[in-house]
Amino acid sequence: MRRLFYRGILADRVVIEGADAHHLMHVMRARCGQELVVVDDEGSVARMEIVGFSADAVHLRLVERFDADTEPPVHIALAPCLLKGEKMDLVVQKAVELGAMEILPVESANCVVRYDVKKREARAARWQKIADEAAKQCGRSARVIVHSIRDLRAFLQEMQAHTLIFCYENEQQMPLKESLRTREDSRYAILIGPEGGFSLDEAEQVTAAGGVSVTLGPRILRAETAALAALAALQYEKGDLGS
Ligand code: SAM
């Protein structure tokens, strides 16, 4: 059954507008009587029936609320530094399936791509669309937010309430597994560098801000591989992957 995220709070009657309404009417050619799974801003989930259409809206009736919490027990923010080409699309899509709650694209010193203001907004909108589609496909019960691109300094200031897992290619001592063993935190952030990795100065900035520098093992992974491997490992150790 098709799933959609309603920007509001579920009620007996709900009106869907904008891109979702257009998709239902003109792409899915939905009909009265058809049912949808609707997730609201608070993560409430319900089966709803299409009861009518207007010029640019679809009218729904609540059929049944149900508990379908598919959100992990830990809050994970994935922070990939900007990658070339479509690699960020892949990271965003897979991060949503793996249970990341938010995605924070970071611009660091060695990022090859540099976006102007317009392009930054366009990229963030593109990745949010990819995240929304992935969330519908995998049955998330909360919308995954892709934030606007920020630089490393701004990112570090925002991460005070998180345990920051800093995946650093030059870390030789602390394995990710060991760094998690004794932790019972509820909010984690995972920082992954760009193709060119982190500068020494950036590594010092991150650890000075409380980042836990960890190795993902003896091989140097591509950034997109490292992002998904670290997220999957953290979800396996502390979340609901495999449970
Ligand atoms: N240019 C770097 C080099 O040659 O050493 C490699 C950077 S790697 C392609 C991109 C990012 O993936 C790194 O900045 C790091 O965040 C992560 N990464 C890759 N392999 C890793 C490993 N074995 N341990 C920790 N992080 C790793």
Side-chain angles (χ1 to χ4, degrees):
M1 194 181 292
R2 182 166 182 74
R3 178 179 289 251
L4 64 82
F5 290 92
Y6 173 57
R7 307 304 307 277
I9 305 301
L10 280 184
D12 289 345
R13 296 278 172 163
V14 155
V15 179
I16 302 294
E17 296 173 311
D20 276 331
H22 180 272
H23 191 80
L24 283 170
M25 289 194 278
H26 305 299
V27 177
M28 304 294 289
R29 299 203 179 284
R31 294 279 171 268
C32 285
Q34 278 181 302
E35 291 191 351
L36 307 165
V37 172
V38 179
V39 181
D40 74 2
D41 280 346
E42 288 180 346
S44 298
V45 186
R47 229 163 21 98
M48 299 197 85
E49 177 193 7
I50 298 176
V51 293
F53 298 89
S54 47
D56 53 6
V58 181
H59 299 263
L60 306 180
R61 174 183 71 83
L62 191 142
V63 175
E64 174 200 14
R65 287 175 185 271
F66 57 94
D67 178 32
D69 182 6
T70 61
E71 296 308 301
V74 287
H75 183 111
I76 303 176
L78 180 66
C81 290
L82 297 179
L83 301 175
K84 286 187 295 191
E86 311 303 325
K87 286 184 261 186
M88 284 295 279
D89 296 2
L90 174 88
V91 169
V92 166
Q93 184 187 63
K94 300 312 172 196
V96 170
E97 294 171 48
L98 286 167
M101 298 284 213
E102 50 186 328
I103 296 167
L104 299 102
V106 175
E107 186 172 45
S108 63
N110 290 340
C111 286
V112 174
V113 286
R114 294 276 174 226
Y115 297 131
D116 61 21
V117 172
K118 201 156 167 272
K119 188 81 175 175
R120 290 162 86 96
E121 284 164 12
R123 283 275 127 176
R126 172 192 174 86
W127 295 329
Q128 183 62 65
K129 193 165 183 296
I130 289 170
D132 289 346
E133 283 311 309
K136 290 173 191 171
Q137 175 276 322
C138 72
R140 293 290 296 260
S141 48
R143 191 167 188 247
V144 177
I145 300 302
V146 179
H147 296 271
S148 55
I149 298 168
R150 70 281 325 285
D151 67 22
L152 184 62
R153 189 173 303 280
F155 165 73
L156 292 174
Q157 283 162 1
E158 293 169 301
M159 287 298 113
Q160 304 307 321
H162 292 71
T163 295
L164 175 53
I165 303 294
F166 170 37
C167 294
Y168 184 36
E169 60 275 19
N170 297 325
E171 172 61 40
Q172 302 292 330
Q173 306 302 319
M174 177 54 77
L176 171 62
K177 189 178 180 71
E178 179 61 25
S179 76
L180 295 176
R181 204 167 47 78
T182 56
R183 288 184 190 283
E184 294 308 327
D185 303 323
S186 61
R187 296 177 73 84
Y188 292 87
I190 301 173
L191 177 62
I192 300 287
E195 291 91 347
F198 289 104
S199 68
L200 205 52
D201 176 55
E202 287 177 325
E204 285 165 3
Q205 264 186 68
V206 176
T207 47
V212 179
S213 176
V214 300
T215 177
L216 295 176
R219 293 172 296 282
I220 293 294
L221 310 176
R222 288 178 187 275
E224 59 272 29
T225 311
L228 301 176
L231 174 56
L234 178 53
Q235 267 283 56
Y236 182 78
E237 286 291 325
K238 300 295 179 188
D240 61 4
L241 192 66
S243 63

